[in-house]
Amino acid sequence: MQIKNILSKLIENKKIGKDVYLMSFSDDYLAQNLKSGQFLNVWCDKTLRRPISVANIDKDKNIITLIYQIKGEGTKILSKKKIGDTIDVVGPLGNGFPEIYDKKVLLVGGGIGSIPLLYAAKEIKNPDVALGFTSKSEIILEEEFNLLCNNVKIATDDGSYGEEGYVGRLAEQMIEINKYDYIFACGPVLMMKAVQKLAKEKNIPIFLSLEERMACGIGACDGCVAKIIENGKSEYKRVCADGPVFDGSKVVL
């Protein structure tokens, strides 16, 4: 698949949560070639581009939806762009989630780690999803997941919404009730460690989408690496080019 530099006009750029924004634009090449778990490197009028997860694609209208959180000056600039402004993106980038259509999948997302799981939910047939947030005010995409998933469960650390506690415990409860063929997960390291351990104990294949600071986004700078165990030997792989999705049984968190 060819990586392209695309210029398009913004169709939407709106706030959907605490410092979280939804942005959409149209491009036929990206809409037809992007896969769940992949990302785009977006120009933010700064020296370095920012990697942003693909949250949804409408293949009929060729509309790509990105969701991002303001974390620094670059994404703050991005949040101020208006409908009709030009967006400059590079992609498709990275390796996404495996294409699984006839298996039972549990998606586990923590905070903004839920974003790349949304398009995965669209590609998978009726997955279940466990989402974790700090509090009710941090929750995003609940309605969207409800439209795509068979069963949506939410945990909040403070108990202000859904189940009280961490999402790893919620995922464990769901696994006790249901049989899953795969787990897809993305979120904070501590959350993914817990889910990784759970998958190993229950003998369920797991794929993790790793979050790292990326510079070039194409594997040229080796600035984002993750420790991977392959055939009993450890090596470092580039999250942007070799990931961001990895076989979770091989990732050292």
Side-chain angles (χ1 to χ4, degrees):
M1 186 188 308
Q2 184 180 358
I3 296 173
K4 293 187 176 183
N5 188 177
I6 304 292
L7 298 177
S8 185
K9 300 292 184 183
L10 282 178
I11 298 172
E12 200 170 21
N13 192 26
K14 65 180 182 180
K15 188 174 183 179
I16 63 168
K18 186 178 180 181
D19 293 329
V20 178
Y21 286 75
L22 181 150
M23 168 184 287
S24 61
F25 64 96
S26 178
D27 182 76
D28 55 352
Y29 178 77
L30 291 178
Q32 300 305 317
N33 287 283
L34 276 165
K35 297 180 179 180
S36 65
Q38 290 187 304
F39 66 96
L40 299 175
N41 245 14
V42 182
W43 178 250
C44 302
D45 300 327
K46 304 296 291 182
T47 302
L48 297 178
R49 293 175 180 269
R50 298 297 188 271
I52 297 180
S53 299
V54 175
N56 192 27
I57 297 174
D58 185 330
K59 291 182 179 293
D60 294 329
K61 297 180 180 179
N62 292 324
I63 294 175
I64 299 98
T65 297
L66 309 178
I67 297 176
Y68 61 96
Q69 184 179 48
I70 296 177
K71 288 189 172 183
E73 192 176 356
T75 43
K76 186 175 182 179
I77 291 171
L78 199 60
S79 72
K80 296 184 182 300
K81 285 186 174 290
K82 298 178 173 58
I83 294 173
D85 286 350
T86 298
I87 183 170
D88 179 334
V89 304
V90 173
L93 297 174
N95 292 300
F97 291 106
E99 296 180 4
I100 297 171
Y101 304 108
D102 58 349
K103 302 294 184 180
K104 186 65 175 176
V105 180
L106 173 64
L107 308 175
V108 185
I112 60 171
S114 60
I115 295 169
L117 298 176
L118 184 63
Y119 189 47
K122 188 174 184 178
E123 291 191 321
I124 298 167
K125 185 178 180 181
N126 297 320
D128 288 350
V129 61
L131 303 174
F133 302 93
T134 303
S135 64
K136 183 177 181 180
S137 63
E138 305 280 345
I139 294 173
I140 57 171
L141 303 176
E142 180 184 11
E143 182 178 344
E144 289 81 355
F145 275 108
N146 271 316
L147 293 173
L148 299 171
C149 299
N150 180 55
N151 190 16
V152 178
K153 297 290 186 180
I154 294 178
T156 51
D157 296 352
D158 62 4
S160 56
Y161 189 86
E163 300 285 335
E164 181 176 1
Y166 298 124
V167 69
R169 187 172 66 180
L170 181 58
E172 184 175 11
Q173 293 171 359
M174 295 174 76
I175 289 171
E176 292 297 330
I177 298 172
N178 302 284
K179 177 177 173 56
Y180 295 105
D181 299 302
Y182 292 92
I183 297 173
F184 292 177
C186 183
V189 172
L190 288 177
M191 182 218 84
M192 291 202 292
K193 275 187 176 181
V195 179
Q196 182 189 53
K197 181 174 181 289
L198 179 62
K200 183 178 181 180
E201 291 172 350
K202 302 297 183 180
N203 197 30
I204 304 173
I206 182 171
F207 288 89
L208 300 176
S209 179
L210 303 187
E211 298 177 324
E212 291 288 341
R213 292 184 66 87
M214 300 177 189
C216 70
I218 57 174
C221 69
D222 291 334
C224 59
V225 293
K227 190 175 183 180
I228 306 294
I229 302 294
E230 290 273 17
N231 300 318
K233 296 182 179 180
S234 64
E235 60 180 309
Y236 286 91
K237 293 197 173 184
R238 303 160 298 178
V239 173
C240 65
D242 301 312
V245 177
F246 291 93
D247 178 342
S249 66
K250 300 178 180 180
V251 177
V252 179
L253 294 171

